Amino acid sequence: MFETRPLNPIRKAILENGMEQGYEALLKQVISQTQGASSNVVTFAIDGTHGADFQALLKRLIPFAEEHGFRFAAADVYGYLKSGTELRHHFDRNITDNRAFGYVSEAKIDDYFRDGAQRSFAEYADELVETASARTLFIVFGPGALWLCDGRCEGSLFLDVSREYQEIAHKDGLLNFGLSWNVDAVEKYKIAYFVEWPLMEGYRKERLESFDIYVDMNDPRCPVMLTVRDLLAVIDDISRFPLRVKPFMMPGVWGGQYLKQIAGLPDNMVNCAWNFEPIAPENSVLVSKGNQVVEIPFLLVMAYAHMDMIGARNVQLFGDYFPVRFDFLDTMDGDNLSCQVHPKQAYVRERFNEFMEQQESYYIMEKQGNAKVYLGLTETCAPESFQAAAEQSQATGEPIAFTDYVQEWTSEKGDLYLIPTGTVHCSGKNNFVLEISATTWWFTFKIYDYVRKDLDGKPRPMNIEHAFENIDFTRKGDWVRDHLIPGPKLLNEQGSNMEYVLGERDDLLFYVNRIHLTDRWEDETDDEFVLLNLVEGECVRIVSLDDETVYVEFRYAESYIIPASFGAYAIVNLGSMPCKLIKAGVSKKWNISLVDIHA
């Protein structure tokens, strides 16, 4: 069975304090931080990610503090923020009036706060100290609390939740940080992507080592706590061994039923369109020590262990950004994806301040019936007529025969379709696609979507103007077959085992290989990370050649990251039949530093 909660064990790190679960341990930790304070007022900062359940902690902390002889006082950060209207005006350039796209903010945490917020808070805190007649626990809470009190506190916590948790909370009514209203879920995601996450996740990365305690609040009924020192030791440990992120599965208007079946997803889930595994900014990592499990954003692993994770050459090219992604697109018993195109690097950088262009590829893991892939343009496609047809459909709600403009190819299990930016494409229904791509995922310019509505009943946002500024109209006819649908080329052999090159181009930063495994394949990271997915077969083991007690096992459709620092390893077939694995990473031909471009 496909594992939806893969655990990554702590193998070598020795934790000074260990992991602790539950509120009792957390409350005791807060009170212990107050011991030895000389002031009558003990200030404690409870900071964290927007969406974390601060109230769940506070409602337990108040009586607990009083039982330990404290009066209780509190200040929340929301009283020092700009108003929702002011924030929308302040970030107007980043939010924009486009339904789906904005401009990635380079602001800092203080942009959320009113001018002089730290000074106003300091005056309030000083007054509290002057007037307090009894020992008082003063809690400053909310995202940015440590910044607001400017480090003037005796102790601090950081309450963290994953992006997955936030996105589910958005659908349940959570608004963007500091805002008093949102249009819909699309706007929430847009504002999070272009404003909230760049600021708040940047703040977390910059300030993490200033906190005393890190708290996983993804299950607000049972928080998991460890010191920041231990957290960093955990990150250092897991970054040296094969690692699997927690899959992030979501429904979509075109989604299918295959992922639901293999992963045992709930019957009431309408479908499963996507599985991110990994899209580094979206995923988290489950780390285990005995029976204790803590969930950590993969972004934190990359922030503190990027050299071990991706290697020196890739750090020079991408900094601490994990540059390649795997995700599944399931249209089995579903529907076509939108007809779409992705923008080129210069366009995405200038218009959206995005780090990386969205290069893609489709690997067909499974198909049924007469499934199709749509890639490139027909020989007769003219830009003016294609755009006019798309715009007319958008205006009138009438469907068009989009295959008059976009080439249709018969989908074949095991085929790879390369999708450089500027190439019109989409997967047809009844495919199970492993998408191997550059780690950008939001910049899909929809050209045509069959005049259907999204799961929320609203029309899906089209981006026809952006799309036609990026379509490469030379990618049509036989050129597509010859250059974007490559056949396998033998690269290496080891006995009855073989490695093939499936896809590599000068304009794609990633390569895609396939290993045909009968029994055992030996390989070496060579200081470059490797992504593996078992696309055919039952089960394989990845084992270190330096220490064969270090291994992981995974099954069909599961993905593992082999860190650059792991070194020599073997892949062992544990099943009864031969199997196949997709192997991907950064192409040796790619030498463009996106760190320099972004600077």
Side-chain angles (χ1 to χ4, degrees):
M1 175 66 74
F2 183 92
E3 178 57 69
T4 59
R5 287 186 59 84
L7 301 182
N8 299 276
I10 299 171
R11 298 178 186 271
K12 297 183 182 296
I14 299 174
L15 306 187
E16 294 181 1
N17 299 94
M19 298 182 201
E20 294 189 86
Q21 284 184 315
Y23 281 101
E24 183 176 356
L26 189 52
L27 298 175
K28 288 180 179 178
Q29 183 64 42
V30 172
I31 296 302
S32 72
Q33 295 274 329
T34 67
Q35 304 304 314
S38 57
S39 171
N40 215 23
V41 175
V42 181
T43 303
F44 200 93
I46 302 179
D47 206 320
T49 298
H50 177 55
D53 195 343
F54 290 86
Q55 294 298 326
L57 174 57
L58 289 172
K59 72 180 183 181
R60 293 168 171 84
L61 180 57
I62 293 171
F64 193 83
E66 290 173 346
E67 289 171 9
H68 285 76
F70 285 98
R71 290 188 177 180
F72 191 86
D76 67 75
V77 302
Y78 300 94
Y80 296 87
L81 298 179
K82 295 180 174 77
S83 71
T85 300
E86 289 170 332
L87 286 172
R88 283 185 173 272
H89 178 73
H90 184 81
F91 292 115
D92 179 67
R93 178 179 182 234
N94 306 102
I95 297 174
T96 77
D97 58 2
N98 185 287
R99 186 163 178 237
F101 298 109
Y103 189 86
V104 176
S105 176
E106 295 180 343
K108 298 291 186 182
I109 185 73
D110 49 309
D111 284 73
Y112 271 108
F113 290 85
R114 298 195 309 264
D115 290 343
Q118 287 178 319
R119 182 178 64 254
S120 297
F121 173 81
E123 291 170 355
Y124 175 78
D126 289 344
E127 182 180 353
L128 183 65
V129 169
E130 291 174 5
T131 58
S133 58
R135 199 151 189 254
T136 301
L137 179 61
F138 178 35
I139 299 294
V140 189
F141 69 92
L146 190 65
W147 176 88
L148 182 63
C149 65
D150 201 17
R152 294 174 46 182
C153 56
E154 279 70 36
S156 58
L157 302 177
F158 191 90
L159 310 185
D160 209 2
V161 292
S162 67
R163 281 197 186 181
E164 180 181 8
Y165 182 100
Q166 287 180 295
E167 289 175 46
I168 293 170
H170 281 157
K171 293 175 182 177
D172 290 339
L174 177 70
L175 300 176
N176 290 116
F177 179 55
L179 299 191
S180 52
W181 58 271
N182 280 116
V183 174
D184 55 19
V186 174
E187 193 206 40
K188 288 179 183 179
Y189 190 92
K190 180 184 76 168
I191 293 174
Y193 187 104
F194 290 97
V195 179
E196 187 175 316
W197 291 334
L199 269 69
M200 301 306 292
E201 292 174 349
Y203 170 73
R204 179 182 63 191
K205 179 170 74 170
E206 292 167 5
R207 293 289 188 112
L208 183 66
E209 293 181 83
S210 300
F211 291 93
D212 298 310
I213 303 295
Y214 178 88
V215 185
D216 165 17
M217 289 288 286
N218 285 288
D219 181 356
R221 300 165 301 178
C222 187
V224 181
M225 173 186 73
L226 66 168
T227 66
V228 169
R229 184 191 295 266
D230 281 346
L231 173 67
L232 296 178
V234 166
I235 290 171
D236 181 69
D237 186 279
I238 64 172
S239 66
R240 299 172 188 269
F241 303 101
L243 178 148
R244 185 170 174 224
V245 302
K246 177 188 174 190
F248 183 174
M249 301 181 179
M250 294 192 301
V253 67
W254 43 262
Q257 301 298 315
Y258 188 72
L259 265 171
K260 279 184 63 179
Q261 295 168 12
I262 66 172
L265 299 179
D267 290 339
N268 63 0
M269 188 173 177
V270 61
N271 62 52
C272 187
W274 294 276
N275 174 23
F276 302 159
E277 190 189 343
I279 297 182
E282 293 279 337
N283 288 107
S284 53
V285 181
L286 299 172
V287 183
S288 62
K289 181 75 171 177
N291 294 324
Q292 306 289 336
V293 179
V294 64
E295 185 168 348
I296 302 168
F298 189 45
L299 283 179
L300 285 183
V301 178
M302 287 302 299
Y304 290 94
H306 46 275
M307 193 66 75
D308 281 325
M309 284 299 305
I310 65 175
R313 183 179 81 95
N314 288 321
V315 168
Q316 290 178 342
L317 296 175
F318 308 108
D320 65 1
Y321 193 81
F322 196 86
V324 181
R325 65 177 166 98
F326 279 178
D327 66 292
F328 285 122
L329 309 174
D330 180 7
T331 65
M332 300 279 270
D333 297 313
D335 205 351
N336 291 358
L337 274 70
S338 64
C339 177
Q340 58 192 244
V341 70
H342 304 302
K344 298 178 182 296
Q345 179 71 37
Y347 192 91
V348 79
R349 183 70 179 93
E350 178 183 345
R351 297 294 186 94
F352 308 109
N353 198 29
E354 176 54 54
F355 179 70
M356 180 185 291
E357 68 181 15
Q358 190 162 327
Q359 312 164 1
E360 293 187 343
S361 68
Y362 288 169
Y363 180 81
I364 308 300
M365 275 182 66
E366 305 290 345
K367 58 157 286 189
Q368 63 185 16
N370 192 29
K372 305 292 184 183
V373 170
Y374 303 92
L375 183 68
L377 304 170
T378 61
E379 287 286 8
T380 58
C381 177
E384 299 81 6
S385 59
F386 188 17
Q387 184 167 0
E391 289 174 344
Q392 182 176 359
S393 177
Q394 170 84 343
T396 65
E398 294 295 323
I400 63 172
F402 83 107
T403 51
D404 288 349
Y405 310 99
V406 183
Q407 287 204 95
E408 178 181 83
W409 305 88
T410 299
S411 173
E412 297 293 349
K413 179 180 171 74
D415 278 0
L416 180 72
Y417 300 82
L418 300 177
I419 311 170
T421 55
T423 308
V424 176
H425 66 282
C426 65
S427 170
K429 63 183 179 181
N430 290 327
N431 286 314
F432 183 52
V433 173
L434 174 63
E435 192 174 41
I436 306 110
S437 307
T439 303
T440 315
W441 65 99
W442 188 242
F443 292 88
T444 297
F445 297 153
K446 297 182 182 69
I447 302 166
Y448 176 65
D449 197 46
Y450 324 100
V451 298
R452 64 187 169 191
K453 293 183 178 179
D454 213 336
L455 291 178
D456 62 4
K458 296 183 177 182
R460 302 183 82 202
M462 296 292 103
N463 319 107
I464 296 171
E465 183 178 343
H466 280 312
F468 278 85
E469 289 192 55
N470 285 276
I471 294 173
D472 186 336
F473 281 90
T474 68
R475 292 176 183 166
K476 56 174 56 177
D478 291 343
W479 186 94
V480 173
R481 181 191 60 219
D482 295 341
H483 293 86
L484 300 183
I485 312 177
K489 296 178 182 178
L490 183 63
L491 179 65
N492 289 310
E493 291 183 86
Q494 295 179 16
S496 59
N497 308 285
M498 291 158 285
E499 180 176 1
Y500 291 88
V501 175
L502 291 192
E504 191 168 28
R505 286 174 53 90
D506 290 344
D507 56 359
L508 295 177
L509 65 83
F510 57 87
Y511 68 86
V512 182
N513 291 359
R514 186 171 62 206
I515 296 172
H516 294 209
L517 185 65
T518 300
D519 43 34
R520 180 182 174 99
W521 180 266
E522 295 191 356
D523 214 334
E524 162 68 55
T525 63
D526 194 26
D527 199 35
E528 301 257 349
F529 75 92
V530 175
L531 283 169
L532 295 172
N533 184 283
L534 185 60
V535 295
E536 292 183 38
E538 302 167 38
C539 184
V540 296
R541 173 180 290 175
I542 307 298
V543 58
S544 168
L545 294 185
D546 294 329
D547 180 358
E548 296 208 356
T549 66
V550 175
Y551 64 88
V552 296
E553 295 177 357
F554 61 105
R555 294 171 177 80
Y556 171 72
E558 297 179 349
S559 301
Y560 258 88
I561 302 168
I562 312 300
S565 60
F566 191 59
Y569 63 94
I571 309 173
V572 182
N573 184 6
L574 300 181
S576 58
M577 299 291 289
C579 59
K580 295 178 182 178
L581 298 98
I582 286 294
K583 172 184 175 183
V586 175
S587 171
K588 294 290 188 182
K589 299 177 181 179
W590 187 267
N591 59 10
I592 300 171
S593 174
L594 299 185
V595 175
D596 293 339
I597 290 173
H598 193 65

